[in-house]
Amino acid sequence: LDPDRFCGLTKEEQIHKFNQIELKNPQLAINVKNAVDYLDRLRYLTTQMKIELLTNIRHDLFATALRLSSKELIYDLLIEVTENIRNDFLDKLAEEKPASAISKAQDEVMSFIRDKEAKGEFVLSPNSFDTYV
């Protein structure tokens, strides 16, 4: 998205961050890692679902929840939005947060997403795409 800005973490950077959290609080590290894995499934949202997600959730909360997410996920979520929204979101994403704040934000975002999944409004499956032969 922008090579001069923070746009997520590589796999190695994620592992390093999880290890740092684990040294201080092992249970928090497990919770954060599980949430990152769950949120990584957001890449399977359709464009319409992404629009609904980005319009119905506070960007500062969402950016905090995605602070330890992969560059690929951030790219997938923001590639189709306007430059202004992307820049605003990347500014919020770049702000360092303590692991406890990230975990709390992840819990709130996952609650919202699970609610949408339960209603059938979001489908977070790699097999959800229509395949035509």
Side-chain angles (χ1 to χ4, degrees):
L1 291 173
D2 187 343
D4 298 329
R5 300 175 80 171
F6 178 81
C7 297
L9 301 173
T10 64
K11 197 64 169 167
E12 294 78 20
E13 291 169 333
Q14 282 182 318
I15 291 168
H16 178 71
K17 292 286 187 185
F18 296 147
N19 289 338
Q20 284 180 325
I21 297 168
E22 188 174 22
L23 289 174
K24 296 176 185 171
N25 188 334
Q27 186 58 51
L28 181 60
I30 291 169
N31 294 347
V32 168
K33 183 178 180 336
N34 289 341
V36 165
D37 290 343
Y38 178 81
L39 292 173
D40 193 62
R41 294 174 46 216
L42 291 174
R43 69 180 64 232
Y44 303 120
L45 293 175
T46 65
T47 301
Q48 189 59 40
M49 290 176 200
K50 288 177 190 176
I51 291 169
E52 185 173 343
L53 175 65
L54 291 170
T55 56
N56 289 313
I57 200 158
R58 290 186 355 251
H59 287 189
D60 58 334
L61 175 71
F62 195 41
T64 300
L66 295 179
R67 179 74 175 113
L68 299 177
S69 294
S70 70
K71 290 179 181 286
E72 293 81 13
L73 175 61
I74 305 301
Y75 178 84
D76 286 344
L77 290 173
L78 298 181
I79 194 61
E80 299 175 85
V81 300
T82 65
E83 189 174 342
N84 287 342
I85 291 173
R86 183 181 311 128
N87 288 334
D88 182 48
F89 191 85
L90 290 176
D91 287 343
K92 291 177 172 108
L93 185 67
E95 297 174 17
E96 297 236 6
K97 304 280 183 172
S100 58
I102 293 170
S103 181
K104 184 175 184 226
Q106 287 172 330
D107 289 344
E108 288 184 49
V109 169
M110 288 189 314
S111 175
F112 173 81
I113 293 167
R114 285 185 177 127
D115 184 50
K116 292 287 190 181
E117 273 188 296
K119 293 177 184 174
E121 296 174 23
F122 284 2
V123 179
L124 300 177
S125 168
N127 301 321
S128 66
F129 298 102
D130 290 334
T131 305
Y132 298 99
V133 180

